[in-house]
Amino acid sequence: MTHTVLRIDASARHVGSESRKLADRIIERLDADTVIHRDLAVAVPAIDADWLTANWTPEADRSDEQREKLALSSTLIDEIKAADTLVIATPIYNFSVPAALKAWIDQIARAGITFQYTENGPKGLLEGKRAIIAIASGGTQVGSDIDFASGYLKHIMSFIGITDVQFVAADQLMVDADASHAKADAALEALAA
């Protein structure tokens, strides 16, 4: 059985990025047949009024300009659909996710495509996938009251239907780098391929 991984890198840094290093190790452990890579250091545009209008226009009624406005969003969603596992590598910037990752989330959270509203509330449409979130921070402890990244990412994954979410964290690197790396190593060892 083939295994496809979508790797999302959200760090603005390439050299010295702890989240990218964690993602490298996760990808190696997963031994995927195919890895699709989306590097958000190459900016994903923020949604704007024209994007919203295009998104809310029924597909059959969209102009060529509206289709073009949604083309990247559709490509990003197709990347998720093609993957069995998402590996999202992100630092915590100022207690939350980088703006580039938030822009990616805004592009992929589309009613009727990745989630739908029901009488019981929203239902994710991308079920049967797994997400592994590699998260790094200088001082913020993952899961603490000041961490607005990990809970948000877990919620977004569930919102689009991905409920199997695991974290590999190298947090508080500026507090105790050795302990942080040891904790990340243990989480990596616990990951099933």
Side-chain angles (χ1 to χ4, degrees):
M1 186 163 103
T2 62
H3 186 224
T4 300
V5 171
L6 170 60
R7 174 179 176 162
I8 306 291
D9 278 304
S11 178
R13 296 186 320 160
H14 287 94
V15 177
S17 166
E18 289 290 335
S19 63
R20 288 176 188 270
K21 290 177 195 174
L22 286 175
D24 290 342
R25 294 177 64 197
I26 293 167
I27 297 292
E28 183 179 306
R29 184 159 181 84
L30 293 176
D31 194 31
D33 299 289
T34 304
V35 178
I36 303 163
H37 188 210
R38 176 63 63 174
D39 191 341
L40 301 180
V42 178
V44 170
I47 61 173
D48 59 17
D50 290 338
W51 188 97
L52 291 170
T53 300
N55 188 49
W56 293 333
T57 300
E59 189 171 354
D61 298 334
R62 287 181 189 144
S63 67
D64 289 342
E65 292 81 15
Q66 289 175 322
R67 284 186 197 89
E68 180 61 30
K69 192 70 175 175
L70 295 174
L72 175 61
S73 171
S74 297
T75 297
L76 298 175
I77 291 167
D78 287 344
E79 290 173 351
I80 298 171
K81 288 180 177 179
D84 303 295
T85 302
L86 279 68
V87 174
I88 300 174
T90 184
I92 294 178
Y93 288 165
N94 302 311
F95 312 106
S96 190
V97 298
L101 184 53
K102 177 62 168 77
W104 178 83
I105 290 166
D106 288 344
Q107 291 277 351
I108 61 97
R110 287 180 56 194
I113 299 174
T114 58
F115 71 94
Q116 66 185 11
Y117 291 112
T118 71
E119 58 275 354
N120 298 319
K123 176 180 176 9
L125 300 176
L126 302 177
E127 298 175 318
K129 298 180 185 299
R130 172 186 187 196
I132 302 169
I133 300 174
I135 194 164
S137 79
T140 302
Q141 181 180 6
V142 170
S144 70
D145 289 345
I146 61 170
D147 164 22
F148 299 99
S150 64
Y152 172 65
L153 290 170
K154 186 171 184 174
H155 176 78
I156 289 296
M157 290 297 101
S158 177
F159 182 68
I160 64 172
I162 303 170
T163 57
D164 181 358
V165 180
Q166 298 168 285
F167 288 87
V168 175
D171 58 354
Q172 295 189 301
L173 285 160
M174 296 180 84
V175 176
D176 188 342
D178 291 338
S180 179
H181 286 125
K183 185 171 78 170
D185 290 345
L188 276 163
E189 285 300 314
L191 280 180

Short mmCIF file of all heavy atoms in Angstrom, two decimals, residues 86-149:
data_model
loop_
_atom_site.label_atom_id
_atom_site.label_comp_id
_atom_site.label_asym_id
_atom_site.label_seq_id
_atom_site.Cartn_x
_atom_site.Cartn_y
_atom_site.Cartn_z
N LEU A 86 -0.57 14.32 6.94
CA LEU A 86 -0.06 15.68 6.87
C LEU A 86 1.01 15.84 7.95
O LEU A 86 0.79 15.41 9.09
CB LEU A 86 -1.15 16.71 7.14
CG LEU A 86 -2.11 17.08 6.01
CD1 LEU A 86 -3.00 15.91 5.65
CD2 LEU A 86 -2.94 18.28 6.40
N VAL A 87 2.14 16.39 7.59
CA VAL A 87 3.17 16.76 8.56
C VAL A 87 3.26 18.27 8.50
O VAL A 87 3.68 18.83 7.49
CB VAL A 87 4.53 16.10 8.25
CG1 VAL A 87 5.60 16.64 9.21
CG2 VAL A 87 4.43 14.58 8.33
N ILE A 88 2.80 18.91 9.56
CA ILE A 88 2.80 20.38 9.62
C ILE A 88 3.90 20.80 10.59
O ILE A 88 3.83 20.50 11.78
CB ILE A 88 1.43 20.92 10.07
CG1 ILE A 88 0.34 20.48 9.09
CG2 ILE A 88 1.48 22.44 10.21
CD1 ILE A 88 -1.07 20.82 9.53
N ALA A 89 4.92 21.45 10.05
CA ALA A 89 6.05 21.89 10.85
C ALA A 89 5.93 23.39 11.08
O ALA A 89 5.92 24.16 10.12
CB ALA A 89 7.36 21.57 10.14
N THR A 90 5.82 23.78 12.34
CA THR A 90 5.60 25.19 12.63
C THR A 90 6.31 25.63 13.90
O THR A 90 6.35 24.90 14.89
CB THR A 90 4.10 25.50 12.75
OG1 THR A 90 3.92 26.92 12.94
CG2 THR A 90 3.44 24.76 13.91
N PRO A 91 6.85 26.83 13.87
CA PRO A 91 7.28 27.44 15.12
C PRO A 91 6.07 28.10 15.78
O PRO A 91 5.01 28.25 15.15
CB PRO A 91 8.28 28.50 14.66
CG PRO A 91 7.80 28.89 13.30
CD PRO A 91 7.17 27.65 12.71
N ILE A 92 6.24 28.46 17.03
CA ILE A 92 5.27 29.33 17.69
C ILE A 92 5.86 30.73 17.63
O ILE A 92 6.96 30.97 18.11
CB ILE A 92 5.01 28.90 19.15
CG1 ILE A 92 4.32 27.54 19.19
CG2 ILE A 92 4.18 29.97 19.88
CD1 ILE A 92 4.06 27.01 20.59
N TYR A 93 5.16 31.62 16.96
CA TYR A 93 5.57 33.03 16.90
C TYR A 93 4.58 33.82 17.75
O TYR A 93 3.38 33.82 17.47
CB TYR A 93 5.51 33.56 15.47
CG TYR A 93 6.58 33.06 14.52
CD1 TYR A 93 6.43 33.24 13.16
CD2 TYR A 93 7.74 32.43 14.97
CE1 TYR A 93 7.39 32.80 12.26
CE2 TYR A 93 8.70 31.99 14.07
CZ TYR A 93 8.53 32.18 12.72
OH TYR A 93 9.48 31.74 11.83
N ASN A 94 5.09 34.47 18.77
CA ASN A 94 4.25 35.33 19.60
C ASN A 94 3.01 34.59 20.10
O ASN A 94 1.90 35.08 20.00
CB ASN A 94 3.88 36.61 18.86
CG ASN A 94 5.11 37.38 18.44
OD1 ASN A 94 6.01 37.59 19.25
ND2 ASN A 94 5.19 37.76 17.18
N PHE A 95 3.23 33.38 20.58
CA PHE A 95 2.22 32.54 21.24
C PHE A 95 1.25 31.85 20.30
O PHE A 95 0.35 31.16 20.74
CB PHE A 95 1.44 33.33 22.31
CG PHE A 95 2.33 34.11 23.21
CD1 PHE A 95 2.43 35.49 23.09
CD2 PHE A 95 3.10 33.47 24.17
CE1 PHE A 95 3.28 36.22 23.91
CE2 PHE A 95 3.96 34.20 25.00
CZ PHE A 95 4.05 35.57 24.88
N SER A 96 1.41 32.00 18.99
CA SER A 96 0.47 31.39 18.06
C SER A 96 1.20 30.94 16.79
O SER A 96 2.42 30.90 16.76
CB SER A 96 -0.65 32.37 17.71
OG SER A 96 -1.68 31.71 17.00
N VAL A 97 0.43 30.62 15.76
CA VAL A 97 1.02 30.16 14.50
C VAL A 97 1.51 31.34 13.68
O VAL A 97 0.99 32.45 13.81
CB VAL A 97 -0.01 29.33 13.68
CG1 VAL A 97 -0.43 28.08 14.44
CG2 VAL A 97 -1.21 30.16 13.26
N PRO A 98 2.51 31.13 12.83
CA PRO A 98 2.95 32.20 11.94
C PRO A 98 1.82 32.64 11.01
O PRO A 98 0.93 31.85 10.66
CB PRO A 98 4.08 31.55 11.14
CG PRO A 98 4.52 30.38 11.95
CD PRO A 98 3.30 29.91 12.68
N ALA A 99 1.88 33.88 10.58
CA ALA A 99 0.87 34.41 9.66
C ALA A 99 0.78 33.58 8.39
O ALA A 99 -0.31 33.39 7.85
CB ALA A 99 1.19 35.87 9.32
N ALA A 100 1.90 33.04 7.92
CA ALA A 100 1.89 32.23 6.70
C ALA A 100 1.04 30.97 6.88
O ALA A 100 0.32 30.57 5.96
CB ALA A 100 3.32 31.85 6.32
N LEU A 101 1.10 30.35 8.06
CA LEU A 101 0.30 29.16 8.31
C LEU A 101 -1.17 29.53 8.43
O LEU A 101 -2.05 28.82 7.94
CB LEU A 101 0.79 28.43 9.56
CG LEU A 101 0.09 27.11 9.90
CD1 LEU A 101 0.08 26.14 8.73
CD2 LEU A 101 0.75 26.47 11.12
N LYS A 102 -1.47 30.66 9.05
CA LYS A 102 -2.86 31.12 9.14
C LYS A 102 -3.40 31.40 7.74
O LYS A 102 -4.56 31.06 7.43
CB LYS A 102 -2.94 32.39 10.00
CG LYS A 102 -4.33 33.00 10.10
CD LYS A 102 -5.35 32.07 10.74
CE LYS A 102 -6.64 32.76 11.11
NZ LYS A 102 -7.55 33.02 10.01
N ALA A 103 -2.59 31.97 6.85
CA ALA A 103 -3.03 32.22 5.47
C ALA A 103 -3.34 30.90 4.77
O ALA A 103 -4.33 30.79 4.04
CB ALA A 103 -1.97 33.01 4.71
N TRP A 104 -2.50 29.86 4.98
CA TRP A 104 -2.75 28.53 4.39
C TRP A 104 -4.08 27.97 4.92
O TRP A 104 -4.89 27.46 4.14
CB TRP A 104 -1.58 27.61 4.71
CG TRP A 104 -1.74 26.20 4.21
CD1 TRP A 104 -1.46 25.75 2.95
CD2 TRP A 104 -2.19 25.07 4.96
NE1 TRP A 104 -1.72 24.39 2.88
CE2 TRP A 104 -2.17 23.95 4.09
CE3 TRP A 104 -2.62 24.88 6.28
CZ2 TRP A 104 -2.55 22.68 4.51
CZ3 TRP A 104 -2.99 23.61 6.69
CH2 TRP A 104 -2.97 22.53 5.80
N ILE A 105 -4.30 28.09 6.22
CA ILE A 105 -5.54 27.59 6.82
C ILE A 105 -6.75 28.30 6.21
O ILE A 105 -7.74 27.66 5.85
CB ILE A 105 -5.50 27.76 8.36
CG1 ILE A 105 -4.49 26.78 8.96
CG2 ILE A 105 -6.89 27.58 8.97
CD1 ILE A 105 -4.11 27.06 10.39
N ASP A 106 -6.66 29.62 6.06
CA ASP A 106 -7.78 30.36 5.47
C ASP A 106 -8.04 29.91 4.03
O ASP A 106 -9.20 29.89 3.59
CB ASP A 106 -7.50 31.87 5.50
CG ASP A 106 -7.59 32.46 6.90
OD1 ASP A 106 -8.16 31.81 7.80
OD2 ASP A 106 -7.08 33.58 7.09
N GLN A 107 -7.01 29.55 3.32
CA GLN A 107 -7.16 29.10 1.93
C GLN A 107 -7.79 27.71 1.83
O GLN A 107 -8.48 27.40 0.86
CB GLN A 107 -5.81 29.09 1.21
CG GLN A 107 -5.22 30.46 0.95
CD GLN A 107 -5.77 31.14 -0.29
OE1 GLN A 107 -6.49 30.55 -1.09
NE2 GLN A 107 -5.45 32.41 -0.45
N ILE A 108 -7.55 26.85 2.85
CA ILE A 108 -8.03 25.46 2.73
C ILE A 108 -9.34 25.20 3.48
O ILE A 108 -9.96 24.15 3.28
CB ILE A 108 -6.95 24.44 3.16
CG1 ILE A 108 -6.50 24.60 4.62
CG2 ILE A 108 -5.75 24.55 2.23
CD1 ILE A 108 -7.19 23.70 5.58
N ALA A 109 -9.77 26.10 4.32
CA ALA A 109 -11.03 25.91 5.06
C ALA A 109 -12.17 26.48 4.22
O ALA A 109 -12.46 27.67 4.27
CB ALA A 109 -10.97 26.59 6.43
N ARG A 110 -12.77 25.62 3.39
CA ARG A 110 -13.82 26.08 2.47
C ARG A 110 -15.08 25.24 2.63
O ARG A 110 -15.05 24.02 2.46
CB ARG A 110 -13.32 26.01 1.02
CG ARG A 110 -12.31 27.12 0.74
CD ARG A 110 -11.77 27.12 -0.65
NE ARG A 110 -12.78 27.18 -1.68
CZ ARG A 110 -12.51 26.91 -2.96
NH1 ARG A 110 -11.28 26.59 -3.34
NH2 ARG A 110 -13.47 26.98 -3.86
N ALA A 111 -16.17 25.93 2.96
CA ALA A 111 -17.47 25.27 3.14
C ALA A 111 -17.85 24.52 1.87
O ALA A 111 -17.71 25.03 0.76
CB ALA A 111 -18.54 26.29 3.51
N GLY A 112 -18.33 23.29 2.06
CA GLY A 112 -18.75 22.47 0.95
C GLY A 112 -17.62 21.69 0.30
O GLY A 112 -17.87 20.80 -0.51
N ILE A 113 -16.38 22.01 0.65
CA ILE A 113 -15.23 21.33 0.06
C ILE A 113 -14.42 20.60 1.13
O ILE A 113 -14.13 19.42 0.99
CB ILE A 113 -14.35 22.31 -0.73
CG1 ILE A 113 -15.17 22.92 -1.87
CG2 ILE A 113 -13.09 21.61 -1.27
CD1 ILE A 113 -14.47 24.01 -2.62
N THR A 114 -14.04 21.31 2.20
CA THR A 114 -13.28 20.66 3.27
C THR A 114 -14.10 20.52 4.55
O THR A 114 -13.71 19.80 5.46
CB THR A 114 -11.97 21.43 3.58
OG1 THR A 114 -12.28 22.77 3.94
CG2 THR A 114 -11.04 21.41 2.37
N PHE A 115 -15.23 21.22 4.62
CA PHE A 115 -16.16 21.05 5.73
C PHE A 115 -17.55 21.45 5.24
O PHE A 115 -17.69 22.09 4.20
CB PHE A 115 -15.76 21.88 6.96
CG PHE A 115 -15.96 23.36 6.78
CD1 PHE A 115 -17.13 23.99 7.19
CD2 PHE A 115 -14.98 24.14 6.18
CE1 PHE A 115 -17.33 25.35 7.01
CE2 PHE A 115 -15.17 25.52 5.99
CZ PHE A 115 -16.35 26.11 6.41
N GLN A 116 -18.56 21.03 5.99
CA GLN A 116 -19.92 21.46 5.66
C GLN A 116 -20.66 21.74 6.96
O GLN A 116 -20.32 21.20 8.02
CB GLN A 116 -20.66 20.39 4.86
CG GLN A 116 -20.92 19.11 5.61
CD GLN A 116 -21.54 18.04 4.73
OE1 GLN A 116 -21.60 18.19 3.52
NE2 GLN A 116 -21.99 16.96 5.34
N TYR A 117 -21.63 22.61 6.86
CA TYR A 117 -22.48 22.91 8.01
C TYR A 117 -23.66 21.95 7.99
O TYR A 117 -24.27 21.71 6.95
CB TYR A 117 -22.97 24.36 7.96
CG TYR A 117 -21.85 25.34 8.20
CD1 TYR A 117 -21.40 26.18 7.19
CD2 TYR A 117 -21.23 25.44 9.45
CE1 TYR A 117 -20.38 27.09 7.40
CE2 TYR A 117 -20.20 26.33 9.67
CZ TYR A 117 -19.78 27.15 8.66
OH TYR A 117 -18.76 28.05 8.88
N THR A 118 -23.98 21.39 9.15
CA THR A 118 -25.12 20.49 9.30
C THR A 118 -25.97 20.99 10.46
O THR A 118 -25.56 21.91 11.19
CB THR A 118 -24.67 19.05 9.60
OG1 THR A 118 -24.15 18.99 10.94
CG2 THR A 118 -23.59 18.58 8.62
N GLU A 119 -27.11 20.36 10.66
CA GLU A 119 -27.95 20.75 11.80
C GLU A 119 -27.26 20.46 13.13
O GLU A 119 -27.63 21.01 14.17
CB GLU A 119 -29.33 20.06 11.73
CG GLU A 119 -29.29 18.55 11.70
CD GLU A 119 -29.09 17.97 10.30
OE1 GLU A 119 -29.09 18.70 9.30
OE2 GLU A 119 -28.93 16.73 10.23
N ASN A 120 -26.23 19.61 13.11
CA ASN A 120 -25.47 19.31 14.32
C ASN A 120 -24.17 20.09 14.41
O ASN A 120 -23.31 19.78 15.23
CB ASN A 120 -25.17 17.80 14.38
CG ASN A 120 -26.43 16.98 14.45
OD1 ASN A 120 -27.37 17.33 15.16
ND2 ASN A 120 -26.48 15.89 13.70
N GLY A 121 -24.01 21.08 13.55
CA GLY A 121 -22.78 21.88 13.55
C GLY A 121 -21.88 21.49 12.38
O GLY A 121 -22.26 20.68 11.53
N PRO A 122 -20.67 22.05 12.32
CA PRO A 122 -19.77 21.77 11.21
C PRO A 122 -19.31 20.31 11.21
O PRO A 122 -19.13 19.70 12.26
CB PRO A 122 -18.58 22.70 11.43
CG PRO A 122 -18.93 23.59 12.55
CD PRO A 122 -20.11 23.02 13.25
N LYS A 123 -19.11 19.78 10.01
CA LYS A 123 -18.59 18.42 9.84
C LYS A 123 -17.46 18.47 8.83
O LYS A 123 -17.62 18.97 7.72
CB LYS A 123 -19.69 17.50 9.33
CG LYS A 123 -19.21 16.08 9.04
CD LYS A 123 -20.33 15.19 8.55
CE LYS A 123 -19.91 13.79 8.15
NZ LYS A 123 -18.60 13.33 8.43
N GLY A 124 -16.31 17.95 9.24
CA GLY A 124 -15.16 17.90 8.34
C GLY A 124 -15.34 16.88 7.25
O GLY A 124 -15.94 15.82 7.47
N LEU A 125 -14.85 17.18 6.06
CA LEU A 125 -15.03 16.31 4.90
C LEU A 125 -13.76 15.59 4.47
O LEU A 125 -13.78 14.83 3.51
CB LEU A 125 -15.57 17.14 3.73
CG LEU A 125 -16.91 17.83 3.97
CD1 LEU A 125 -17.29 18.69 2.78
CD2 LEU A 125 -18.00 16.80 4.27
N LEU A 126 -12.67 15.79 5.18
CA LEU A 126 -11.39 15.16 4.81
C LEU A 126 -11.02 14.08 5.82
O LEU A 126 -9.91 14.06 6.36
CB LEU A 126 -10.29 16.22 4.69
CG LEU A 126 -10.55 17.33 3.69
CD1 LEU A 126 -9.43 18.35 3.70
CD2 LEU A 126 -10.74 16.77 2.29
N GLU A 127 -11.93 13.18 6.04
CA GLU A 127 -11.75 12.14 7.07
C GLU A 127 -10.77 11.06 6.59
O GLU A 127 -10.47 10.95 5.41
CB GLU A 127 -13.10 11.52 7.40
CG GLU A 127 -14.07 12.52 7.99
CD GLU A 127 -15.46 11.94 8.22
OE1 GLU A 127 -15.94 11.20 7.35
OE2 GLU A 127 -16.04 12.24 9.28
N GLY A 128 -10.31 10.27 7.57
CA GLY A 128 -9.44 9.14 7.26
C GLY A 128 -7.99 9.50 7.06
O GLY A 128 -7.22 8.69 6.54
N LYS A 129 -7.60 10.68 7.48
CA LYS A 129 -6.21 11.11 7.35
C LYS A 129 -5.61 11.30 8.73
O LYS A 129 -6.32 11.36 9.73
CB LYS A 129 -6.13 12.43 6.56
CG LYS A 129 -6.67 12.30 5.14
CD LYS A 129 -6.59 13.60 4.38
CE LYS A 129 -7.23 13.47 3.02
NZ LYS A 129 -6.60 12.49 2.16
N ARG A 130 -4.31 11.42 8.76
CA ARG A 130 -3.58 11.63 10.00
C ARG A 130 -2.79 12.92 9.88
O ARG A 130 -2.32 13.26 8.79
CB ARG A 130 -2.63 10.44 10.17
CG ARG A 130 -1.64 10.52 11.29
CD ARG A 130 -0.71 9.31 11.17
NE ARG A 130 0.18 9.19 12.28
CZ ARG A 130 1.27 8.42 12.28
NH1 ARG A 130 1.57 7.70 11.21
NH2 ARG A 130 2.04 8.36 13.34
N ALA A 131 -2.64 13.63 10.99
CA ALA A 131 -1.80 14.83 11.01
C ALA A 131 -0.78 14.69 12.13
O ALA A 131 -1.13 14.31 13.26
CB ALA A 131 -2.63 16.09 11.21
N ILE A 132 0.45 14.99 11.81
CA ILE A 132 1.53 15.05 12.80
C ILE A 132 2.03 16.48 12.77
O ILE A 132 2.44 16.98 11.72
CB ILE A 132 2.66 14.07 12.49
CG1 ILE A 132 2.12 12.63 12.41
CG2 ILE A 132 3.77 14.18 13.54
CD1 ILE A 132 3.11 11.63 11.84
N ILE A 133 1.97 17.13 13.91
CA ILE A 133 2.36 18.54 13.98
C ILE A 133 3.69 18.64 14.72
O ILE A 133 3.78 18.29 15.90
CB ILE A 133 1.26 19.38 14.63
CG1 ILE A 133 -0.02 19.26 13.79
CG2 ILE A 133 1.71 20.83 14.77
CD1 ILE A 133 -1.23 19.90 14.37
N ALA A 134 4.70 19.09 14.01
CA ALA A 134 6.03 19.33 14.57
C ALA A 134 6.07 20.79 14.98
O ALA A 134 5.95 21.68 14.14
CB ALA A 134 7.10 19.02 13.54
N ILE A 135 6.20 21.03 16.26
CA ILE A 135 6.06 22.40 16.75
C ILE A 135 7.27 22.76 17.61
O ILE A 135 7.73 21.97 18.43
CB ILE A 135 4.72 22.52 17.52
CG1 ILE A 135 4.33 23.95 17.78
CG2 ILE A 135 4.70 21.70 18.78
CD1 ILE A 135 2.87 24.11 18.18
N ALA A 136 7.82 23.92 17.36
CA ALA A 136 9.00 24.39 18.09
C ALA A 136 8.73 25.76 18.69
O ALA A 136 8.00 26.57 18.11
CB ALA A 136 10.21 24.45 17.16
N SER A 137 9.31 25.99 19.86
CA SER A 137 9.17 27.31 20.49
C SER A 137 10.40 27.64 21.31
O SER A 137 11.08 26.74 21.81
CB SER A 137 7.93 27.38 21.38
OG SER A 137 8.18 26.75 22.63
N GLY A 138 10.63 28.93 21.46
CA GLY A 138 11.73 29.37 22.29
C GLY A 138 11.38 29.35 23.76
O GLY A 138 12.14 28.86 24.59
N GLY A 139 10.20 29.86 24.10
CA GLY A 139 9.83 29.95 25.51
C GLY A 139 8.46 29.44 25.85
O GLY A 139 8.17 29.16 27.02
N THR A 140 7.59 29.29 24.87
CA THR A 140 6.22 28.87 25.13
C THR A 140 6.15 27.36 25.30
O THR A 140 6.61 26.61 24.43
CB THR A 140 5.30 29.29 23.96
OG1 THR A 140 5.38 30.70 23.82
CG2 THR A 140 3.86 28.89 24.23
N GLN A 141 5.58 26.91 26.40
CA GLN A 141 5.38 25.48 26.61
C GLN A 141 4.12 25.04 25.87
O GLN A 141 3.05 25.63 26.04
CB GLN A 141 5.23 25.18 28.11
CG GLN A 141 5.05 23.72 28.41
CD GLN A 141 4.90 23.44 29.89
OE1 GLN A 141 4.82 24.36 30.71
NE2 GLN A 141 4.85 22.17 30.24
N VAL A 142 4.26 24.03 25.03
CA VAL A 142 3.11 23.50 24.29
C VAL A 142 2.10 22.95 25.29
O VAL A 142 2.45 22.21 26.20
CB VAL A 142 3.55 22.44 23.27
CG1 VAL A 142 2.35 21.72 22.66
CG2 VAL A 142 4.39 23.08 22.17
N GLY A 143 0.85 23.35 25.11
CA GLY A 143 -0.22 22.91 26.00
C GLY A 143 -0.45 23.82 27.19
O GLY A 143 -1.38 23.60 27.97
N SER A 144 0.37 24.85 27.33
CA SER A 144 0.21 25.77 28.46
C SER A 144 -0.86 26.82 28.14
O SER A 144 -1.36 26.89 27.02
CB SER A 144 1.54 26.47 28.77
OG SER A 144 1.87 27.39 27.73
N ASP A 145 -1.19 27.62 29.14
CA ASP A 145 -2.21 28.66 28.97
C ASP A 145 -1.81 29.72 27.95
O ASP A 145 -2.68 30.42 27.44
CB ASP A 145 -2.50 29.34 30.31
CG ASP A 145 -3.26 28.45 31.27
OD1 ASP A 145 -3.81 27.42 30.83
OD2 ASP A 145 -3.30 28.78 32.47
N ILE A 146 -0.52 29.85 27.67
CA ILE A 146 -0.07 30.88 26.71
C ILE A 146 0.22 30.30 25.33
O ILE A 146 0.70 31.00 24.44
CB ILE A 146 1.14 31.67 27.24
CG1 ILE A 146 2.34 30.75 27.48
CG2 ILE A 146 0.77 32.45 28.49
CD1 ILE A 146 3.65 31.48 27.75
N ASP A 147 -0.09 29.02 25.13
CA ASP A 147 0.08 28.37 23.83
C ASP A 147 -1.23 28.45 23.08
O ASP A 147 -2.18 27.74 23.38
CB ASP A 147 0.51 26.91 24.02
CG ASP A 147 0.35 26.07 22.76
OD1 ASP A 147 0.32 26.65 21.65
OD2 ASP A 147 0.26 24.84 22.90
N PHE A 148 -1.30 29.34 22.10
CA PHE A 148 -2.50 29.49 21.28
C PHE A 148 -2.31 28.85 19.91
O PHE A 148 -3.11 29.09 19.00
CB PHE A 148 -2.88 30.97 21.16
CG PHE A 148 -3.17 31.59 22.49
CD1 PHE A 148 -2.20 32.35 23.13
CD2 PHE A 148 -4.39 31.40 23.12
CE1 PHE A 148 -2.45 32.91 24.38
CE2 PHE A 148 -4.65 31.95 24.36
CZ PHE A 148 -3.67 32.71 24.99
N ALA A 149 -1.26 28.04 19.77
CA ALA A 149 -0.96 27.39 18.49
C ALA A 149 -1.45 25.94 18.45
O ALA A 149 -2.19 25.56 17.54
CB ALA A 149 0.53 27.45 18.21
#
